[in-house]
Structures are given as C-alpha cells and as structure tokens.
Amino acid sequence: MSGYLTDVRKPAGGVHELAIPNLEVYMVYERQVLLWLKKGIKRRQEELGQFFDAISKCEVKQVESFLEKFLSIHISIRDICYRKDLKENFYHGVLLMALSLHENWIVISNRESGTGYPDIMVMEESTGKGWVFELKYAEDGKMEQACKNALEQAEKKNYAALLKQEGMKDIRLAGTAFYKKSCKVIFKRIKD
C-alpha cells in the first residue's frame, strides 16, 4: 500500500508475484539490506572471534556458551530426529562449519590419525597449537560421561598422532558432547 512493492501478477493458486517498482525504491532496499548485512556480519565476526579465542585458551564455559547459543538460534529439535548413530553426524557438521570459519586454522574432518579416525582436528601452524575434537551424542543426557568417553577413545586410539607429525607442540583433546540444544566440552592437554 505504501508503494515499496508492486503486485505484478494476480494470484495463481493464491500466490502473488511482487516486484520493486522503480530504481529509487530499489536503492532504498539495497542500502537497507546492505546495512543489515554489515551489522549482522560484524556481530557474527565478534562472536566468532570470541569463540575462537575461547578454544585457543581452552575456556570451557565460553565455548559451551557459544555453541549452545548457536544451537538455540539455528536448529530445531526436529533437525536431529535421526537414528541414534546418525545424531552425532549432525553436530559434527555444525562444529566443523563453525571451526572452518577461522581463516588461519587448518580444519580436518575424519582423517586417519593414530589407529582411528578422529572427528575433527584443528591446527594453528603459527602457534603450534592443535586440537582433536571427538564428538558424542549423549542420548541419555549424561554429557559429562559422554565427554569422558570421547577423551578415552581419543587417547586410546592416539588421535593426536597426525598433529604431532605436523609439528604441533601444544595439543589438546576436546571431548565434546551434545544433547538436543545443549553441549559440554572437556579439554585435556596431551603430554609429550
């Protein structure tokens, strides 16, 4: 009614086709959308920077807080309506995507290391830091135990082997458990 959109075609099956009526209105949309995007990107960059910094410093509460906030905003419980053995894959994808946004980290998924296939390995060559993220879905909600199981598996199968071969000197295992929109992380330093 205010002229910012024009109804181009009458409804076919109840669906209207809308268009921006002229260049002047298009420029208003372009400026406004760019402004929204810039604000959104800046806010997300700050949050991601804090997330990466928390991982680098092994600040458990901050890592958990970021992941839980992300899950609460972006996923539905229906997104994990899979068989138990497939739920972990969903969270693997979410964490892999988030970690991959760091421009200076090398992020590796499901590559052989030691005597198995760790979920996610991360290397920061400039600092010699490396992380092995082993994920578990805590079907019963007992996330602490799931984290401990993940750490035990990572240690037993020597998942840090590839990171050591690549020259990483400060390596942490991250037992990471998810349950619906909740997350728990336990970091453990690998000793030489």
Side-chain angles (χ1 to χ4, degrees):
M1 304 242 331
S2 62
Y4 287 100
L5 288 175
T6 302
D7 195 354
V8 179
R9 205 171 286 152
K10 296 296 177 202
V15 177
H16 288 261
E17 184 177 332
L18 303 175
I20 298 173
N22 58 47
L23 184 58
E24 182 181 328
V25 173
Y26 175 82
M27 297 300 281
V28 169
Y29 275 117
E30 184 177 43
R31 278 192 303 272
Q32 188 61 48
V33 169
L34 285 174
L35 181 63
W36 287 335
L37 286 173
K38 285 178 184 175
K39 283 182 180 177
I41 288 169
K42 184 177 181 185
R43 190 175 74 246
R44 294 289 183 241
Q45 283 177 331
E46 289 171 6
E47 289 173 0
L48 278 171
Q50 292 168 358
F51 173 59
F52 298 144
D53 191 50
I55 289 172
S56 188
K57 295 176 180 174
C58 296
E59 294 173 337
V60 170
K61 293 298 177 203
Q62 288 84 346
V63 173
E64 292 171 349
S65 177
F66 174 87
L67 290 171
E68 287 183 351
K69 181 179 178 185
F70 183 87
L71 294 171
S72 71
I73 292 170
H74 297 292
I75 75 159
S76 164
I77 296 303
R78 296 188 125 188
D79 292 334
I80 54 167
C81 290
Y82 306 113
R83 295 185 332 248
K84 181 183 174 187
D85 59 328
L86 296 178
K87 289 181 182 184
E88 183 184 306
N89 293 346
F90 174 80
Y91 293 101
H92 180 118
V94 168
L95 184 57
L96 181 65
M97 183 266 320
L99 295 170
S100 295
L101 293 173
H102 193 293
E103 61 187 27
N104 296 319
W105 285 357
I106 298 168
V107 181
I108 304 165
S109 176
N110 290 315
R111 180 157 323 144
E112 185 176 343
S113 181
T115 59
Y117 296 87
D119 289 318
I120 302 170
M121 291 183 286
V122 178
M123 290 186 283
E124 186 174 48
E125 292 179 315
S126 64
T127 63
K129 290 184 176 182
W131 298 267
V132 175
F133 287 87
E134 187 59 30
L135 281 63
K136 298 291 179 197
Y137 184 76
E139 189 70 39
D140 55 5
K142 296 178 181 173
M143 294 192 297
E144 178 124 6
Q145 186 57 51
C147 287
K148 289 177 182 177
N149 293 345
L151 289 172
E152 184 181 306
Q153 177 181 333
E155 286 181 298
K156 182 179 177 183
K157 295 189 176 191
N158 191 23
Y159 283 170
L162 180 63
L163 297 179
K164 290 176 184 176
Q165 290 170 2
E166 293 294 328
M168 300 301 106
K169 300 294 183 198
D170 185 4
I171 301 172
R172 309 290 172 104
L173 301 178
T176 310
F178 293 93
Y179 177 68
K180 297 183 180 179
K181 295 185 181 189
S182 297
C183 145
K184 175 115 184 97
V185 179
I186 298 175
F187 287 106
K188 184 173 184 179
R189 177 179 242 138
I190 296 291
K191 297 178 182 156
D192 290 331

